[in-house]
Amino acid sequence: MTRYIFITGGVVSSLGKGLASAALGALLQARGFTVRLRKLDPYLNVDPGTMSPFEHGEVFVTDDGAETDLDLGHYERFTGVSARATDSVSSGRIYSNVLEKERRGDYLGKTIQVIPHVTNEIKDFIAVGDGEVDFMLCEIGGTVGDIEGLPFFEAIRQFGQERPRGNCIFMHLTLLPWIAAAGELKTKPTQHSVKELRAIGIAPDILVCRAENPIPQKEREKLALFCNVRPESVIAALDLDTIYDAPLAYHREGLDQAVLDAFQISPAPQPNLSRWDDVHDRIVTAEGEVRIAIVGKYTQLGDAYKSIAEALTHAGMANRVTVRSEWIDAEIFDSEDPAPHLEGFHAILVPGGFGERGTEGKIRAAEYARTRDIPYFGICLGMQMAVVEAARNLAGLKDAGSEEFGREGRSLTPVVYHLKEWVKGNHTVARSKDDDLGGTMRLGSYSAHLREGSRVAGIYGTTVIEERHRHRYEVDMRYREALEEKGLSFSGMSPDGKLPEIIEVADHPWYVGVQFHPELKSKPFAPHPLFADFVRAAKEVSRLV
């Protein structure tokens, strides 16, 4: 029977519940257990797909096409377990499901209430896949006391009561602030947070306490006494140099042992942490540094490109170099020469995005990389802008652009068009510009066929790949011949040959654009091959300058 671990947060948000959950999952794996991680978000959006990156960071896409919270990226990177659509849910999705059932008459005319109908829907979601794994870790978004989170807290309380005794435990992550003027570490906010949690019927079994400095034994005992947990279950979560030290740090603190003790699993298998020892070694023994410019639209918020930043870190590990990523707002290049901003970088990466803002700057960044022989990696919109740049400056289509940016009264040759139909599995998917925005893109894992002898086929070591997509615009194949005559090769295609997946420039040190999002599948112990080779190329440049 699957055991359940519910992870809640208190005092303030952004303490690292997702990272703590992911690290715990990795530690349980290291002891030989199977795990799956889930995220329950209280916001009323059906999913994060239509949210601005400035609101909620990046949208993490699963193989089966779900647009989910970025914490699922942490879960995958730390455990290697591919997330599914059933691993992420929001209040919006829960209420939508309940209202659809009410309209169908599934409730047989009853009055629909938060308890039991909404909480039952949440419990049904939590129980999906029960019995598939040894441990199910469920993270509740937000903090205890948030009004929108109350149905989730009530649902996990009920779930714990309904399961056999000892089948569920609760882990609460809080903050221990350091008051510099008083020279004291304060436990009162955590005490009040636990009091709030217990008032709604949940008693935490484990406390994970974020702190800037080590927690003295006296404060640990005080927390154990007032929060009614065992002293060995008060776990310190200190700031780390890298998030990939989290599994080792939490193991030293005894988090995995505290969890096994709470479930009364004894004797417990000893952990094999060699994977994480190797990750740590690759980070601390880097033999050099490469500087990579990321020319994007959402550079003011690092979480907007979270998976790209992590994939570059993984690629640095593979090459035993430190990757120094510097974020540059693409809009700067709309009016300024990119050369002064990009000189000194060993490679340039242009990530995805939506809308016209900053696209001319991305085009100029692609031109700079192509003409200066600087390694270039274009992802999604970054690939499309590389094609637009080549169409304008190589194929002579001076008004080349994208239908996404078309304005009335402006001449435009749309080398990038709105995708209205594509093949998924054994059926055809059709979309219209008038459809709702949510969930209408080409989403999830699709296969691609690579040209024999191409750069990307050599990087992947195969000619058939599977990658995740999230886009509604595609490069128009009508311009393929004109572009290939000028050296821009379409080296990756959809199986039916209709949709371009990868472009590259053969007589360039490293110039690749991909329509998909390879960053979503990169892991510290299995860096994505495209990112690893991109950083290798940057490393070669760094040795020449």
Side-chain angles (χ1 to χ4, degrees):
M1 183 179 291
T2 297
R3 297 176 173 90
Y4 289 82
I5 305 169
F6 294 102
I7 299 100
T8 59
V11 183
V12 295
S13 59
S14 301
L15 288 179
K17 289 196 306 296
L19 180 58
S21 303
L24 176 57
L27 289 174
L28 292 171
Q29 279 184 324
R31 289 180 179 266
F33 298 105
T34 56
V35 301
R36 179 163 286 283
L37 292 96
R38 292 207 161 126
K39 181 73 183 289
L40 294 79
D41 273 306
Y43 52 71
L44 284 173
N45 304 67
V46 172
D47 61 40
T50 58
M51 286 190 196
S52 163
F54 294 123
E55 285 285 319
H56 208 66
E58 76 169 8
V59 173
F60 189 83
V61 179
T62 61
D63 282 333
D64 54 5
E67 295 177 288
T68 71
D69 185 82
L70 61 82
D71 275 333
L72 270 72
H74 283 313
Y75 303 163
E76 277 205 26
R77 286 188 283 271
F78 277 74
T79 66
V81 177
S82 293
R84 301 190 296 226
T86 52
D87 293 330
S88 178
V89 78
S90 67
S91 288
R93 173 62 68 190
I94 294 293
Y95 281 103
S96 178
N97 290 350
V98 169
L99 293 174
E100 286 173 8
K101 290 180 179 180
E102 186 272 335
R103 292 288 86 185
R104 289 198 306 263
D106 291 3
Y107 297 118
L108 303 177
K110 291 183 179 179
T111 301
I112 310 306
Q113 297 177 290
V114 173
I115 301 172
H117 301 99
V118 171
T119 51
N120 283 349
E121 191 72 24
I122 295 170
K123 289 186 290 183
D124 289 345
F125 167 79
I126 293 170
V128 171
D130 187 32
E132 290 182 1
V133 293
D134 297 318
F135 289 96
M136 189 77 76
L137 286 73
C138 298
E139 177 194 348
I140 316 300
T143 56
V144 62
D146 295 344
I147 190 169
E148 60 265 31
L150 287 175
F152 287 101
F153 289 112
E154 172 61 20
I156 63 174
R157 183 198 68 78
Q158 292 179 18
F159 193 90
Q161 285 292 102
E162 293 165 3
R163 305 292 291 193
R165 188 178 298 275
N167 188 244
C168 301
I169 68 168
F170 298 90
M171 185 172 101
H172 193 53
L173 182 68
T174 70
L175 175 69
L176 295 186
W178 171 260
I179 308 301
E184 292 181 342
L185 193 68
K186 290 298 183 180
T187 65
K188 193 63 69 177
T190 294
Q191 292 180 45
H192 281 294
S193 182
V194 171
K195 181 181 178 181
E196 183 85 21
L197 197 61
R198 295 179 71 185
I200 56 179
I202 297 173
D205 300 281
I206 296 168
L207 278 183
V208 178
C209 304
R210 280 298 302 268
E212 296 179 15
N213 302 301
I215 305 173
Q217 187 61 31
K218 179 182 176 182
E219 273 66 28
R220 290 177 187 255
E221 292 173 354
K222 185 177 181 180
L223 284 166
L225 177 64
F226 286 98
C227 298
N228 200 36
V229 299
R230 295 180 180 276
E232 60 271 20
S233 294
V234 177
I235 307 297
L238 306 180
D239 294 344
L240 302 170
D241 293 331
T242 168
I243 63 173
Y244 297 112
D245 277 344
L248 297 175
Y250 276 124
H251 176 67
R252 287 193 297 269
E253 275 291 314
L255 175 60
D256 47 330
Q257 188 60 56
V259 166
L260 296 173
D261 288 345
F263 281 114
Q264 298 184 341
I265 298 175
S266 181
Q270 290 301 305
N272 178 3
L273 297 171
S274 57
R275 166 185 282 183
W276 295 103
D277 288 331
D278 179 61
V279 167
H280 173 79
D281 178 68
R282 288 179 177 274
I283 292 174
V284 300
T285 60
E287 301 166 355
E289 176 180 303
V290 297
R291 296 182 66 220
I292 295 179
I294 302 177
V295 182
K297 297 180 59 169
Y298 316 114
T299 54
Q300 298 93 325
L301 181 68
D303 277 355
Y305 297 117
K306 188 64 177 176
S307 289
I308 284 177
E310 298 309 318
L312 288 171
T313 298
H314 307 159
M317 295 179 199
N319 290 279
R320 288 197 177 271
V321 295
T322 298
V323 176
R324 300 293 181 200
S325 301
E326 297 189 30
W327 309 88
I328 299 176
D329 189 340
E331 284 189 277
I332 294 173
F333 301 157
D334 289 352
S335 57
E336 296 183 27
D337 181 4
H341 298 275
L342 296 177
E343 286 175 354
F345 286 102
H346 305 127
I348 297 169
L349 188 151
V350 176
F354 296 91
E356 187 171 7
R357 181 179 62 83
T359 52
E360 288 299 322
K362 290 188 174 189
I363 291 169
R364 298 187 74 183
E367 179 185 13
Y368 179 90
R370 182 181 59 79
T371 57
R372 303 290 184 97
D373 284 344
I374 304 297
Y376 175 87
F377 195 2
I379 296 174
C380 198
L381 184 62
M383 167 186 160
Q384 294 172 6
M385 295 304 96
V387 171
V388 171
E389 187 278 323
R392 291 179 182 179
N393 299 320
L394 296 179
L397 301 172
K398 297 301 181 184
D399 59 351
S402 168
E403 282 188 358
E404 187 175 6
F405 318 140
R407 294 194 205 129
E408 289 185 17
R410 186 176 73 170
S411 176
L412 179 73
T413 300
V415 297
V416 177
Y417 71 101
H418 183 270
L419 182 64
K420 300 175 180 64
E421 187 175 287
W422 65 92
V423 175
K424 184 174 181 63
N426 58 3
H427 68 281
T428 300
V429 180
R431 289 285 182 262
S432 165
K433 281 187 177 181
D434 298 325
D435 289 342
D436 290 341
L437 291 179
T440 58
M441 290 181 278
R442 187 174 180 229
L443 289 165
S445 183
Y446 288 85
S447 60
H449 292 178
L450 311 184
R451 180 184 294 172
E452 289 273 6
S454 63
R455 179 191 300 275
V456 288
I459 292 171
Y460 276 102
T462 183
T463 56
V464 179
I465 60 171
E466 290 274 343
E467 294 285 2
R468 297 177 189 174
H469 295 66
R470 184 178 183 251
H471 61 100
R472 57 172 59 90
Y473 291 86
E474 286 274 0
V475 173
D476 195 328
M477 290 294 290
R478 288 181 295 179
Y479 302 94
R480 176 178 182 173
E481 184 177 347
L483 289 165
E484 290 201 324
E485 284 179 358
K486 299 299 182 180
L488 190 75
S489 172
F490 287 68
S491 55
M493 299 294 298
S494 61
D496 61 7
K498 294 182 178 180
L499 303 177
E501 295 279 11
I502 305 176
I503 57 101
E504 61 181 66
V505 176
D507 60 349
H508 190 283
W510 209 97
Y511 195 97
V512 173
V514 298
Q515 185 58 73
F516 46 83
H517 289 271
E519 70 273 16
L520 299 178
K521 297 181 77 169
S522 186
K523 301 169 183 63
F525 40 82
H528 192 282
L530 285 177
F531 276 89
D533 203 63
F534 175 60
V535 170
R536 178 204 58 76
K539 184 178 177 181
E540 291 299 317
V541 171
S542 73
R543 290 174 171 172
L544 298 175
V545 295

